Structure formats: C-alpha cells, structure tokens
Amino acid sequence: MLVVFAAVAAALVGAPYGPRSGRAASADPGVERLLEQRRELYAELREVDDDAAAGRISAEDRVRARRALAPRLRAVTEALRGAGIEQGHE
C-alpha cells in the first residue's frame, strides 16, 4: 500500500493540473502553495479512483487511501476558506 502511495506521489510532483485560480494566489505565496496542495490532493484522489477502476488496487485499498487523503484535503480546504478562497476543483 505504501508503495502505491509513493508511486502516486512521485508521479504527481511537479505535474501541472490546470490553471491557477484564486485572486489572492499571485499576491500570497502561502495561498499559492495551498492551491497547489489542493491540486495535488485532487490528483491523488483521481489516481486512487482510476487504480481501483482498473483493478490495480482493491476496493478496500481505495477506501483506505481516500480516508488517508481526506484529513489533508480538509485542512487545506479550511485554510483556503480562511484566506477567502472558495472551494473548487481545478
């Protein structure tokens, strides 16, 4: 399971996932980093779902992976809300 997470993380580092959003992003590097973290977490969720759909991981592994990512995504989302950035997929 850890190998899957490591492979996903390695594949996602530095890959572009859409336009940058949020009016404060360019003015605040902290907000920009949060937006990047949110993009990475959404990409990890998509990868987990794709792996499960393709049969590369079990349904149980998918649930575990999503549960592991959820607290990080929740924390990033709350931090962005605190900075005045609305929720949205990129």
Side-chain angles (χ1 to χ4, degrees):
M1 186 65 191
L2 291 176
V3 173
V4 171
F5 283 113
V8 169
L12 297 176
V13 172
Y17 294 106
R20 301 195 182 274
S21 67
R23 61 187 178 282
S26 61
D28 186 346
V31 170
E32 185 61 34
R33 180 63 192 134
L34 288 169
L35 290 168
E36 180 62 27
Q37 287 176 350
R38 183 175 69 182
R39 283 189 289 272
E40 290 171 2
L41 288 165
Y42 281 138
E44 287 183 52
L45 287 170
R46 284 189 301 271
E47 183 73 23
V48 166
D49 289 345
D50 290 346
D51 284 348
R56 290 186 290 267
I57 62 172
S58 69
E60 294 82 15
D61 285 342
R62 176 185 173 270
V63 169
R64 278 192 288 272
R66 291 182 67 86
R67 284 183 180 159
L69 293 169
R72 292 172 41 211
L73 182 56
R74 189 175 308 114
V76 168
T77 299
E78 290 301 318
L80 285 168
R81 282 185 187 145
I85 306 296
E86 292 301 315
Q87 175 70 19
H89 292 276
E90 297 173 38

